[in-house]
Amino acid sequence: MDTTQTRWRKVAYGGMQPGFDDNHTDDTFLQEMVMNANVVKRDMLKVMLDSVSISQYLCIVSLVVLVWAHTLNSTITEKFLIALDVTLVGSGFFILVLTAKMLSLNLLLSYAIKIMFFTTGLYVLSPIYHTLTRSISSDSIWALTTSLVILHLFLHNYTGSTIRAPGALENPTLTSNISLNASIVASLLIASRLPSRVLVFAIILFSLQVFLFAPLVTYCLKKYSFRLHLLVSFVLMVITLGCVYRLHKVLFVVLLGVLVFVNLVCPYWLIRIQEYKFEINGPWDEAKLCFNITD
């Protein structure tokens, strides 16, 4: 067949066209090509504000580590820790009631019952946790705890919640569950080095309250008011930096450098690398997922 008389056309399915090779294209093939059609132009200020959530949680984990350090040094008493646990539970429920739009009385009562059973079970098991790592050297405990905290920070879901928030459409991901398990194991390792069972119970309860419910509270707070979220985050940063400075000046410099890196350097890098993003869309078939691979 004469190819000058028969016009070539793009056929997605059905095999070869008579008179043309299977890989044949003409001059009109690339007329529908579009470059960078879906590339999002990011704003520097918007990226910096979004990165505040990461700095906020870094400060929360830093405060938990500070409480661990002061408890191991016997500068925090059992009564103070228990009072801190009660304060955290009360303030957490208060913030949830004020900010969570989908929070009902039944759901709130369900949370309270679960916390009661959880606290009771934790108190019963505290003698076991107290002697859990007696045969392991302290150096191994510190190294393993540090590794688990770093793993927790690396895999943590900074855009969502550790547990499913009221009204949320998606459940926590696999990586966030691994992150939560790493924080729980780190808490148990630290608690096993404390001198009394009451301290073991109080420090584990404190750690799990923070790692389980702090992301939920901050998530609901951010959904309720982004300005209030920013205010709480900056206040938390100032408090954390002040506490770390009193503990160790070198750690203060490290934490300050990390916060500057997260809030300034990383957004700047993200904006700069947008210049090198190159996307091509055209008349060819593009494979697109029609399902969520995380399900």
Side-chain angles (χ1 to χ4, degrees), residues 236-260:
L236 191 62
M237 290 180 196
V238 173
I239 294 175
T240 305
L241 288 172
C243 294
V244 173
Y245 181 81
R246 294 183 60 184
L247 180 67
H248 204 288
K249 293 183 180 180
V250 176
L251 295 179
F252 167 80
V253 174
V254 172
L255 180 60
L256 181 62
V258 170
L259 294 180
V260 171

Side-chain angles (χ1 to χ4, degrees), residues 1-7 18-20:
M1 181 179 294
D2 189 1
T3 59
T4 60
Q5 297 179 357
T6 304
R7 182 176 178 81
F20 296 97

Side-chain angles (χ1 to χ4, degrees), residues 5-291:
Q5 297 179 357
T6 304
R7 182 176 178 81
W8 174 85
R9 59 188 179 90
K10 182 173 72 73
V11 177
Y13 304 99
M16 297 171 54
Q17 298 182 52
F20 296 97
D21 296 331
D22 187 37
N23 60 348
H24 177 81
T25 58
D26 66 354
D27 296 337
T28 64
F29 180 72
L30 296 180
Q31 289 181 354
E32 301 178 16
M33 185 179 69
V34 180
M35 299 175 60
N36 297 334
N38 301 319
V39 174
V40 179
K41 300 295 183 180
R42 301 184 183 275
D43 181 66
M44 179 68 178
L45 180 60
K46 178 65 168 56
V47 177
M48 290 175 60
L49 293 177
D50 290 338
S51 65
V52 171
S53 298
I54 302 177
S55 300
Q56 180 194 65
Y57 194 73
L58 288 175
C59 292
I60 291 175
V61 175
S62 299
L63 289 176
V64 173
V65 174
L66 283 175
V67 173
W68 288 352
H70 285 296
T71 306
L72 290 170
N73 293 332
S74 300
T75 55
I76 291 181
T77 62
E78 301 171 354
K79 295 181 179 180
F80 178 84
L81 270 179
I82 294 176
L84 181 60
D85 293 339
V86 175
T87 303
L88 287 177
V89 171
S91 59
F93 272 104
F94 179 74
I95 294 175
L96 286 180
V97 170
L98 292 180
T99 59
K101 299 179 180 179
M102 301 294 294
L103 189 64
S104 62
L105 182 60
N106 292 332
L107 184 58
L108 190 64
L109 183 60
S110 175
Y111 280 165
I113 294 175
K114 290 179 180 178
I115 289 177
M116 290 177 59
F117 279 109
F118 175 77
T119 305
T120 304
L122 188 62
Y123 182 78
V124 172
L125 295 176
S126 58
I128 299 176
Y129 300 143
H130 185 217
T131 59
L132 186 64
T133 60
R134 180 171 295 177
S135 60
I136 304 177
S137 64
S138 297
D139 292 339
S140 301
I141 294 296
W142 310 144
L144 184 57
T145 302
T146 304
S147 302
L148 289 173
V149 171
I150 294 175
L151 179 65
H152 169 71
L153 291 174
F154 183 76
L155 298 179
H156 180 72
N157 182 15
Y158 294 94
T159 60
S161 173
T162 307
I163 58 179
R164 185 172 181 176
L169 300 178
E170 297 182 356
N171 291 318
T173 60
L174 175 62
T175 54
S176 64
N177 289 329
I178 296 175
S179 172
L180 176 61
N181 290 331
S183 65
I184 293 174
V185 175
S187 304
L188 294 177
L189 293 176
I190 290 295
S192 64
R193 285 303 190 231
L194 296 177
S196 68
R197 297 176 181 178
V198 178
L199 270 178
V200 171
F201 164 74
I203 198 67
I204 295 179
L205 182 60
F206 164 78
S207 302
L208 295 187
Q209 281 179 356
V210 174
F211 291 127
L212 277 172
F213 295 106
L216 174 62
V217 172
T218 55
Y219 174 81
C220 294
L221 190 66
K222 184 178 180 180
K223 289 294 183 181
Y224 178 76
S225 173
F226 189 75
R227 292 184 178 180
L228 185 59
H229 160 73
L230 292 178
L231 177 62
V232 172
S233 300
F234 287 127
V235 171
L236 191 62
M237 290 180 196
V238 173
I239 294 175
T240 305
L241 288 172
C243 294
V244 173
Y245 181 81
R246 294 183 60 184
L247 180 67
H248 204 288
K249 293 183 180 180
V250 176
L251 295 179
F252 167 80
V253 174
V254 172
L255 180 60
L256 181 62
V258 170
L259 294 180
V260 171
F261 179 78
V262 169
N263 289 284
L264 295 178
V265 179
C266 289
Y268 175 75
W269 277 355
L270 181 61
I271 297 299
R272 287 297 304 271
I273 63 177
Q274 294 299 309
E275 303 175 2
Y276 305 100
K277 193 167 186 178
F278 190 72
E279 183 185 65
I280 299 177
N281 302 95
W284 47 81
D285 297 328
E286 298 182 10
K288 296 181 180 179
L289 294 176
C290 59
F291 57 90

